Structures are given as C-alpha cells and as structure tokens.
Amino acid sequence: MNYGESLKYHRENAGLSQHELARKIGTSCQNISRWEGGKVLPNIDFCVKLADFYCISLDELVGRKI
C-alpha cells in the first residue's frame, strides 16, 4: 500500500469524507484529494496531525511496514 492509499484507508476507516477530515485538521479538500491521489506529500506538520488524529504512528499513517 502506498502512502496515498494508506491515507485514504485511514480516513474511510474513520468514517469521514474528505471535506470532514479537511475541516477537522485545518486544510482544504483539495489537499486531502492530492495526498490520497499520490500527487503531493503532506508536509510533516500535517502528517503529525493526521497520525495524532487517528491515534497511530507515522509509519502506520503512510503505510510503511518494517
């Protein structure tokens, strides 16, 4: 699973639309769409916000397996 797929998986698992997530973490729906589509990477601040929001590690957030 790549990072975009992982971001989408966690959002859908939380039962949120892109709009709802964007509002909760303080970004735009367009950014969420770009991140999930693998077009751009979220900056580290948003990665931390997302990991904290979902109560998961940064590795898990981006689909990294060790």
Side-chain angles (χ1 to χ4, degrees):
M1 180 181 308
N2 68 35
Y3 76 89
E5 292 168 337
S6 182
L7 294 174
K8 183 176 181 179
Y9 166 81
H10 290 293
R11 176 182 57 78
E12 289 178 341
N13 195 46
L16 298 170
S17 68
Q18 288 182 348
H19 179 76
E20 291 168 324
L21 178 60
R23 190 176 66 242
K24 289 180 182 288
I25 66 164
T27 192
S28 69
C29 296
Q30 188 176 33
N31 278 340
I32 302 292
S33 178
R34 288 179 190 160
W35 298 342
E36 290 181 359
K39 294 179 180 154
V40 290
L41 291 167
N43 70 33
I44 191 65
D45 293 327
F46 279 109
C47 287
V48 170
K49 279 185 180 184
L50 287 165
D52 287 349
F53 181 79
Y54 296 130
C55 298
I56 59 175
S57 69
L58 289 171
D59 284 337
E60 190 176 352
L61 177 72
V62 298
R64 182 173 182 245
K65 305 262 190 238
I66 298 176

